[in-house]
Amino acid sequence: TGTNTTMSMLREVFGDDPSVVYGPSCKSGPLGGDAQLVALAVTGQVGGCIFFIDPMDAHPHSADIECLVRQGNVHNILMANNPCTAHIIMNTFRVALKMGRMEMIPSFFFDLESPSVGA
């Protein structure tokens, strides 16, 4: 699952590889795709998010980006906003799934909430 731009890039890289399962594509970020991802996240349909934000560019939809990051924090969803973090998360996924260790990636199996929400 991702914005149209991201999903198009993933399809270019992975093509028809049968081991890759694509989720639904949302609209492009400036056309509401980031807001669609927020809706999926708050309804428990997204357990993690790899969402690279270009720090050197202004974004006309920055409010949507901020909302996605904020709701990721509110719902305690695994978030990777840069390639280094994404790499570490992917290695954790590989180990957790291979070993059947759900507790290593809880947001993929359970609806969570940030401890600060109840405060």
Side-chain angles (χ1 to χ4, degrees):
T1 301
T3 61
N4 186 55
T5 306
T6 300
M7 296 302 285
S8 295
M9 283 193 253
L10 289 172
R11 284 187 172 85
E12 282 181 32
V13 172
F14 295 107
D16 294 328
D17 182 336
S19 67
V20 176
V21 178
Y22 298 104
S25 288
C26 298
K27 294 181 182 283
S28 177
L31 299 176
D34 301 330
Q36 286 179 298
L37 288 173
V38 170
L40 292 171
V42 301
T43 57
Q45 297 177 54
V46 171
C49 184
I50 297 175
F51 189 77
F52 297 158
I53 303 166
D54 183 351
M56 305 305 284
D57 199 12
H59 301 278
H61 60 295
S62 62
D64 292 338
I65 293 170
E66 291 170 14
C67 184
L68 178 60
V69 172
R70 183 175 51 255
Q71 290 303 313
N73 288 329
V74 167
H75 295 279
N76 207 14
I77 294 170
L78 190 65
M79 298 284 285
N81 293 358
N82 63 59
C84 183
T85 306
H87 181 74
I88 290 170
I89 289 172
M90 290 298 104
N91 281 323
T92 301
F93 282 158
R94 183 177 47 79
V95 170
L97 294 172
K98 192 176 210 179
M99 297 175 62
R101 303 261 323 266
M102 294 187 323
E103 71 276 7
M104 291 179 72
I105 47 175
S107 67
F108 270 73
F109 298 100
F110 310 103
D111 286 342
L112 302 175
E113 189 174 83
S114 173
S116 65
V117 171

